[in-house]
Amino acid sequence: MADLDIPPARQLIDGAWVAAADQGELPVLDPATRAPIQPVARARAADVDAAVAAARRAFPGWAATSPTERGAILRRWADLIAAHVDALADHEARDVGKPRSGGRLNMYIAHGIVDYFAGAADKLTGVTLPTRTPDYFGYTRPEPYGVCAVIIPWNVPAVLTAANVAPALAAGNTVVLKPSEIAPLAPFALAELARRAGLPPGVLNVVTGLGPEAGTALTGHRDVDHISFVGSTVTGRAVMRAAAENLVPVKLELGGKSPNVVFADADLDVAIPAIVTSITENAGQNCYAGSRLLVEESIRAEVVERVAAGMAAVRTGAWDQDLDMGPLVSQAQYDRVRGFLAEAPTAGARLVTGGESAGGRHGDGWFVAPTVFDGVDSGMRLAREEVFGPVLAVQGFRGVDEAVALVNGTDFGLLTCIWTSDVSRALRVAADARSGQVAVNQFHDAGVIGFPFNMQKESGFSRGGGYAALREYTQEKAVAVRLLDRPSA
Ligand code: NAD
């Protein structure tokens, strides 16, 4: 491949681009037009078998490669990502439907992640253990699991490829990656760059296929040693059941219903644009999307009005128009989000802006308008369930206790964003929020390097992100040694 075009109807197994064993194909569509972009292979059990076998064969050699050399290959991979940002971004923007600049931002993030684990590969250490007498020696060795299965969704495929594949490889594992059938092109392109960076055949294999075919074949495979799953909570439960069957460790990164919590002393000039971006970036299709706005009653009217104005000003268009927001990714997502739009007013929520599909303005694309509902009650589906679209649910609160009760009022526990000028209050809410991540006076973790992507409750359990991700992809062996008497000279 001279450039980063993906060979049609192929997948990457054992270092080669091959068709599905039964020649099956799946279409990848442009969500702005519903037109096909290109077919990819439709992997089934035979293809998954071939990929796992390739990863198994490659494992001893890769695990025995010096961590410094593994790091060097990852660094070359990172350099190639940096050199191909535009081509990678176009792949991701096109099949997910996000603006081209959003795709580019994702590639900078993916590059940063691979670069981080390139540097971390030879810094993974065990510990020496204290002993009761000097006649013993104890230590731990971090060891790779072997063949890691990585299953990811369609919303940020490049970032999720980097965040799971890079630490797994750095720690000496080999990988079979199954991207979503809806948006596999950026993961394919990243894997091709890893191959060009010198990753040996079989160390990273990428199969594309449907969840009930390729996904279940992978999670149920007897020769897989570790499963990482990123996706919906419903599928996460099925993946965990499959992992239980083979007794392999599983890492789950699932859905969210993250709140922006705005106190009356917040700097609204900073908060308002961040709140709008938090629910319109990637058309609201982010696990950490700020889908709930919890606002102190004394400023509620002002905040709702300003957020609604910001949402109404969001420009929507196809990926190559590079505006603020694209369409939803698929017909299923479109139907799902429109179901919430239809139900919320009948359940008693007040529509402030949006509320309609915006397809008419954009031909056949799966567009919906950025939407704000005020007066949302905790019992409504809109307050509790993940919409995965640009739909914001507003609830008012009085005082810290009520705010914390609302924060913790869903089954999810991914991210809580707190907006206030009172640092003591921010730290109290940060301590009481049942979420894996907290951000104060910003949305998400901008500016922090290696921020652990932690989850609580039904958002899953993961130590992905940062140095802890290396631990996630290693098992610890404990070694105890008795020092025998020195033979006499
Ligand atoms: P999904 O659960 O439908 O699919 C995710 C992946 O799992 C896809 O590759 C799919 O083919 C595969 N799959 C489906 N059924 C399977 C099965 N039975 N066994 C094995 N694999 C199967 O999710 P989606 O619609 O692609 O993505 C949206 C979801 O992902 C949202 O809930 C979002 O919050 C979540 N997400 C979470 C994070 C995070 O880090 N917590 C990040 C991004 C997205």
Side-chain angles (χ1 to χ4, degrees), residues 356-431:
E356 77 272 10
S357 48
R361 277 187 271 151
H362 299 290
D364 285 336
W366 289 302
F367 289 89
V368 295
T371 297
V372 178
F373 284 106
D374 195 3
V376 174
D377 182 84
S378 294
M380 293 179 194
R381 253 175 19 102
L382 186 62
R384 318 177 69 81
E385 293 184 19
E386 191 177 42
V387 177
F388 232 48
V391 182
L392 183 62
V394 184
Q395 295 180 266
F397 67 82
R398 289 191 170 79
V400 172
D401 290 346
E402 206 176 311
V404 169
L406 287 176
V407 165
N408 294 334
T410 77
D411 292 332
F412 296 109
L414 208 161
L415 170 66
T416 303
C417 300
I418 304 162
W419 300 90
T420 178
S421 302
D422 180 340
V423 71
S424 305
R425 178 161 51 194
L427 294 181
R428 273 198 200 102
V429 178

Side-chain angles (χ1 to χ4, degrees), residues 87-462:
L88 288 164
D90 282 4
H91 276 308
E92 172 139 338
R94 208 166 164 205
D95 63 3
V96 181
K98 60 184 69 174
R100 186 177 247 155
S101 49
R104 214 174 282 130
L105 175 64
N106 287 162
M107 297 316 141
Y108 292 130
I109 295 171
H111 165 263
I113 293 169
V114 175
D115 195 53
Y116 179 93
F117 289 109
D122 62 1
K123 291 158 194 78
L124 181 62
T125 59
V127 295
T128 55
L129 300 165
T131 53
R132 290 202 173 79
T133 75
D135 301 327
Y136 294 90
F137 181 63
Y139 66 100
T140 63
R141 279 167 54 87
E143 296 183 346
Y145 280 102
V147 176
C148 292
V150 175
I151 298 177
I152 60 171
W154 42 261
N155 61 336
V156 276
V159 169
L160 293 174
T161 296
N164 288 284
V165 172
L169 297 184
N173 301 281
T174 55
V175 172
V176 178
L177 169 69
K178 196 202 90 60
S180 166
E181 57 280 12
I182 294 174
L185 299 181
F188 268 151
L190 284 172
E192 167 61 20
L193 292 180
R195 204 172 67 89
R196 293 183 198 174
L199 203 66
V203 172
L204 171 58
N205 309 275
V206 188
V207 292
T208 35
L210 301 173
E213 295 176 357
T216 49
L218 192 53
T219 55
H221 204 289
R222 299 281 300 173
D223 208 22
V224 162
D225 301 303
H226 180 281
I227 299 173
S228 287
F229 174 78
V230 188
S232 64
T233 298
V234 171
T235 312
R237 286 199 168 89
V239 169
M240 196 160 171
R241 278 193 291 271
E245 203 53 47
N246 289 333
L247 280 178
V248 292
V250 61
K251 164 168 102 74
L252 296 179
E253 298 181 0
L254 309 174
K257 192 75 189 175
S258 298
N260 278 292
V261 190
V262 186
F263 288 93
D265 62 353
D267 183 336
L268 295 184
D269 291 340
V270 180
I272 302 282
I275 291 166
V276 171
T277 303
S278 78
I279 188 62
T280 54
E281 183 195 51
N282 208 12
Q285 302 168 118
N286 285 331
C287 58
Y288 55 73
S291 53
R292 293 191 291 153
L293 171 57
L294 311 179
V295 54
E296 198 150 18
E297 283 293 356
S298 59
I299 56 162
R300 177 175 177 166
E302 178 192 357
V303 170
V304 169
E305 188 187 326
R306 289 177 65 180
V307 168
M311 297 279 277
V314 167
R315 300 163 306 158
T316 52
W319 68 281
D320 51 351
Q321 290 177 277
D322 202 13
L323 301 175
D324 306 319
M325 194 182 99
L328 299 174
V329 78
S330 65
Q331 182 72 47
Q333 268 297 110
Y334 187 62
D335 292 343
R336 175 185 166 78
V337 173
R338 288 203 312 162
F340 277 97
L341 297 181
E343 179 185 307
T346 60
R350 182 176 72 83
L351 179 66
V352 186
T353 186
E356 77 272 10
S357 48
R361 277 187 271 151
H362 299 290
D364 285 336
W366 289 302
F367 289 89
V368 295
T371 297
V372 178
F373 284 106
D374 195 3
V376 174
D377 182 84
S378 294
M380 293 179 194
R381 253 175 19 102
L382 186 62
R384 318 177 69 81
E385 293 184 19
E386 191 177 42
V387 177
F388 232 48
V391 182
L392 183 62
V394 184
Q395 295 180 266
F397 67 82
R398 289 191 170 79
V400 172
D401 290 346
E402 206 176 311
V404 169
L406 287 176
V407 165
N408 294 334
T410 77
D411 292 332
F412 296 109
L414 208 161
L415 170 66
T416 303
C417 300
I418 304 162
W419 300 90
T420 178
S421 302
D422 180 340
V423 71
S424 305
R425 178 161 51 194
L427 294 181
R428 273 198 200 102
V429 178
D432 292 343
R434 292 191 60 204
S435 62
Q437 301 164 48
V438 174
V440 178
N441 291 332
Q442 63 172 336
F443 183 72
H444 212 222
D445 59 354
V448 178
I449 296 168
F451 193 69
F453 210 76
N454 295 338
M455 323 272 152
Q456 292 186 10
K457 298 163 72 182
E458 290 191 9
S459 291
F461 32 85
S462 148

